[in-house]
Amino acid sequence: MNQIRHVDLKGEAVTTTDTYREEPDSFARLLPWLLLTAGFAFVYIPTFIDLFRTLWSTDQNAHGPIVLAVGAWFLYFKARQIHADELVVCKPAPLAGGVTLGVGLLLYVIGRSQAFYLFEVGSIIPVLAGVVLVLFGKAVLRRLWFALFFLFFMIPLPGSIIDAMTQPMKIAVSWGAEHVLYALGYPIARNGVVLNIGQYQLLVADACAGLNSLFTLEALGLLYMNVMRHESAFRNVLLAVLIVPISFASNLIRVVVLALITFHLGDDAGQGFLHGFSGMVLFITALLLIIGVDSVLRAGAAFRHRERAA
């Protein structure tokens, strides 16, 4: 209730009352989101702790935390865009959302009880999709599809799949490093994935095969294309395909550089700080190559457009 004093036509002060609807306080608006966040944290924080202690602490799955952090940021970024877009119609779909959420929770229970990370971590995607459907509907989910798809890259793959994918890549990187170093005049020989350069013997491990950087670069490359919003589907597909040879080339350069460091500075230098630093530098180089290739494709598209206009 609110009292209002005004003056009537006779000049006398009159006090009237007016009713208004109080706006809910900020805590009431945030309470459902706080409960939802608390529930998600209660379910998945133990999973993330286990991953940081096991798989994500290895070179093969070191891309997992990167993808998780970037995916969380991108999900927030898209949510802010949707919130600012007044044309998006929120029409909750409780039935479809409930089924999707139930499937996600079932996958989590199976994966958590059986220590199967493919189901346990992968359940995050249907769980988030189900929550979005229940609260906002299909239109909002369509706007968030890429943010959820991006999280696929953080799911740890079974060891059998990793071994099957890594071995051919290790052989290819070893073969390429052997021929590059031989062309540079270094005493190099290869036996499988073992390189012998001078008095040193180097094993091309799984981390140097490029699977880790391939997943990370592919994820970030797709994110780059989504943010840049290229209209040409052919250009998007071509850039996504070219990320594979870019990743291979960056890892080939890394193996060659480490072999040269070991040959000239010794084994301690090759296996010490320079080993990890070289991986970081070459990963940044690969990202710059992706942007460079995209710039070349953009310039080529602009040139063809000018030719057609002429």
Side-chain angles (χ1 to χ4, degrees):
M1 304 288 289
N2 186 23
Q3 291 186 347
I4 301 176
R5 294 180 61 82
H6 64 274
V7 180
D8 63 2
L9 297 177
K10 297 180 180 181
E12 298 179 355
V14 179
T15 301
T16 60
T17 60
D18 184 27
T19 61
Y20 64 92
R21 184 171 56 188
E22 296 184 354
E23 293 292 334
D25 56 18
S26 58
F27 179 77
R29 292 196 301 269
L30 290 177
L31 183 59
W33 295 105
L34 292 175
L35 293 176
L36 186 62
T37 303
F40 188 86
F42 177 79
V43 173
Y44 285 106
I45 281 184
T47 299
F48 294 144
I49 292 176
D50 291 343
L51 286 171
F52 275 110
R53 289 176 177 175
T54 56
L55 293 180
W56 282 359
S57 62
T58 63
D59 290 334
Q60 289 182 357
N61 295 279
H63 63 280
I66 300 175
V67 175
L68 175 62
V70 176
W73 168 83
F74 189 63
L75 192 62
Y76 173 76
F77 173 75
K78 296 298 291 184
R80 290 291 300 270
Q81 282 188 338
I82 295 173
H83 180 72
D85 189 354
E86 298 179 354
L87 298 179
V88 178
V89 179
C90 295
K91 187 177 180 181
L95 180 59
V99 172
T100 306
L101 181 60
V103 171
L105 293 176
L106 179 62
L107 289 175
Y108 173 81
V109 171
I110 296 175
R112 185 68 178 173
S113 61
Q114 304 300 317
F116 190 40
Y117 283 122
L118 183 64
F119 281 4
E120 184 178 355
V121 181
S123 65
I124 294 177
I125 298 172
V127 166
L128 290 176
V131 171
V132 171
L133 285 172
V134 170
L135 296 178
F136 305 105
K138 298 179 181 179
V140 175
L141 181 62
R142 282 194 294 268
R143 294 285 296 271
L144 292 174
W145 77 268
F146 182 81
L148 298 178
F149 169 76
F150 185 81
L151 297 177
F152 270 108
F153 289 94
M154 76 171 182
I155 301 175
L157 297 176
S160 58
I161 297 179
I162 293 178
D163 292 340
M165 297 175 62
T166 302
Q167 187 62 26
M169 297 177 69
K170 287 197 297 184
I171 295 175
V173 169
S174 304
W175 180 87
E178 176 195 11
H179 284 74
V180 170
L181 291 170
Y182 180 79
L184 294 175
Y186 285 90
I188 184 74
R190 180 177 63 90
N191 182 15
V193 295
V194 177
L195 296 175
N196 295 280
I197 179 169
Q199 60 180 332
Y200 300 103
Q201 189 177 71
L202 304 177
L203 172 66
V204 178
D206 293 346
C208 296
L211 188 62
N212 171 26
S213 59
L214 176 60
F215 284 159
T216 310
L217 289 173
E218 193 69 39
L220 295 182
L222 293 175
L223 176 63
Y224 171 79
M225 288 186 291
N226 186 269
V227 172
M228 295 300 293
R229 294 180 175 274
H230 296 317
E231 297 180 357
S232 173
F234 174 76
R235 180 179 167 187
N236 291 333
V237 173
L238 180 60
L239 184 59
V241 172
L242 289 177
I243 292 175
V244 177
I246 288 175
S247 175
F248 174 81
S250 64
N251 282 276
L252 175 60
I253 295 173
R254 180 187 183 188
V255 172
V256 170
V257 169
L258 289 176
L260 293 176
I261 291 174
T262 302
F263 181 77
H264 290 286
L265 301 179
D267 186 65
D268 292 338
Q271 299 301 318
F273 169 76
L274 293 177
H275 186 279
F277 184 73
S278 65
M280 180 177 64
V281 171
L282 291 176
F283 178 73
I284 296 174
T285 303
L287 288 179
L288 294 178
L289 284 174
I290 292 176
I291 298 175
V293 169
D294 180 57
S295 300
V296 172
L297 294 177
R298 182 167 58 248
F303 179 76
R304 288 195 301 269
H305 181 71
R306 287 194 299 268
E307 280 192 337
R308 291 176 182 176

